[in-house]
Amino acid sequence: MKGSVSAPGKAILLGEHAVVYGKPAIAIPLPQLRAVADFHQNERTFTICAADINRPPWHWSASAANSADPLASMAALTLRHLGICAPTGEITIRSAIPIASGLGSGAAVSAALGRGIAGLYGKTLANAELNALVYAVEKLHHGTPSGIDNTTVVFEQPVYFQRGQPLKTLKPTHRLDFLLADSGVPALTRVSVTAVRQLLRKEPVRTNSLLEQIAAAVAAAQACLAAGKLLQLGELMTENHGRLQHLGVSSPRLDALVAAGLQAGALGAKLSGGGLGGNIIALVEPATRSAVERALLAAGAIRVLSASLGG
Ligand code: PMV
């Protein structure tokens, strides 16, 4: 068997961090930004090549399955799930998703790899099966993930996600345009999630109140998406950024990007993902889109990507 399978990146619109504590969050897939797995069966020892994400080629062995490498974990879990003991074939991973920038690179690479391994044997994994496997890998390597990354990436749908609740996909009635601006600072989600956990221990009342406020904004944003109320949605995003600042997961660079985007006419802007680095997301209108993009680049963004929904 030979072929190519993939999974998209993702961006969180509202609700990051609070989602770790059982609150809802909204995330969107980024279909233009993908991790791809090219697979071909050759009856030789199973090998994964992933030069794009700085991995040396990885060759299957029974002990390699216990590696600390997320790719090895995903391969081992998928092979076990499919009942394959002596795998063969080659998979090459290519990814256009920046690493450690809050855009779901890890989950997308795992999802593409899982699909590629199934492809080697002429099989397809159902999204629910693949989602469980990717989530297991996220848990092994990223601490206490909420599951929003793997869910958005695997189902490739805008989601209203709440841990432990049935998946709710969103169908925005109006077109929404976003810009994602990369601060150029890599940041590990585990670090910001740990920082929030420590704050919760130190200042439980204030921190819980911030998490509740974020949850309320997510619920309000869902209604705005359904009704096409873009001005209000933008305001909720900007307010959400303020709460993330209070949670201690923003940075002067992220704040500068948010401020620049707003000043240039974005309807709303906030950090997206774990924070402390990575990307901000700005809601823009066609009329101000280019001005916002220029302002973000002038404020230090190393890259500005477009994303859209609905319409
Ligand atoms: O993986 P990132 O950086 O996009 O962030 C994930 C969002 C968090 O809420 C911070 C963590 C989680 O597991 O939901």
Side-chain angles (χ1 to χ4, degrees), residues 55-293:
R55 298 292 162 92
W58 179 83
H59 305 282
W60 169 265
S61 72
S63 60
N66 298 321
S67 149
D69 178 352
L71 278 184
S73 303
M74 184 63 197
L77 287 177
T78 307
L79 290 165
R80 194 189 315 148
H81 180 79
L82 294 171
I84 297 160
C85 309
T88 52
E90 185 174 314
I91 295 188
T92 302
I93 302 280
R94 297 177 277 128
S95 179
I97 310 167
I99 299 169
S101 63
L103 298 183
S105 154
V109 166
S110 288
L113 177 59
R115 287 183 173 137
I117 293 174
L120 281 174
Y121 293 90
K123 296 177 193 253
T124 309
L125 288 167
N127 282 342
E129 282 175 282
L130 181 64
N131 195 31
L133 292 167
V134 178
Y135 186 46
V137 174
E138 298 270 294
K139 279 200 281 197
L140 279 175
H141 297 282
H142 303 295
T144 54
S146 62
I148 191 168
D149 279 24
N150 46 286
T151 303
T152 312
V153 156
V154 168
F155 288 90
E156 201 165 344
Q157 297 278 341
V159 297
Y160 181 89
F161 177 89
Q162 195 163 9
R163 214 171 175 162
Q165 299 295 316
L167 176 63
K168 214 160 142 186
T169 57
L170 297 173
K171 301 211 170 16
T173 48
H174 294 65
R175 187 183 162 92
L176 295 157
D177 289 298
F178 300 101
L179 291 175
L180 289 151
D182 193 333
S183 66
V185 180
L188 292 177
T189 307
R190 200 187 311 123
V191 174
S192 59
V193 168
T194 303
V196 172
R197 177 153 300 117
Q198 280 165 353
L199 190 69
L200 197 54
R201 239 178 258 137
K202 214 167 105 202
E203 298 178 50
V205 176
R206 186 176 76 92
T207 309
N208 266 316
S209 156
L210 287 166
L211 298 177
E212 290 295 345
Q213 289 167 37
I214 292 174
V218 171
Q222 187 192 12
C224 290
L225 278 170
K229 294 185 174 166
L230 302 195
L231 278 177
Q232 280 106 314
L233 179 64
E235 275 166 26
L236 289 165
M237 288 171 65
T238 307
E239 283 165 22
N240 192 164
H241 183 72
R243 286 167 191 138
L244 290 164
Q245 283 177 316
H246 288 301
L247 286 177
V249 295
S250 191
S251 71
R253 255 185 133 104
L254 292 169
D255 292 345
L257 290 174
V258 165
L262 291 172
Q263 211 171 2
L267 297 178
K270 61 179 276 294
L271 72 84
S272 180
L276 299 176
N279 279 263
I280 68 122
I281 185 165
L283 176 63
V284 292
E285 292 171 298
T288 49
R289 196 187 163 287
S290 317
V292 174
E293 183 171 355

Side-chain angles (χ1 to χ4, degrees), residues 20-82:
V20 174
Y21 299 93
K23 314 281 188 236
I26 297 174
I28 60 171
L30 301 172
Q32 303 89 335
L33 213 55
R34 306 190 78 83
V36 178
D38 299 315
F39 62 88
H40 92 112
Q41 186 53 273
N42 55 12
E43 310 295 335
R44 289 191 223 122
T45 304
F46 178 46
T47 302
I48 304 171
C49 302
D52 265 14
I53 52 170
N54 307 324
R55 298 292 162 92
W58 179 83
H59 305 282
W60 169 265
S61 72
S63 60
N66 298 321
S67 149
D69 178 352
L71 278 184
S73 303
M74 184 63 197
L77 287 177
T78 307
L79 290 165
R80 194 189 315 148
H81 180 79
L82 294 171

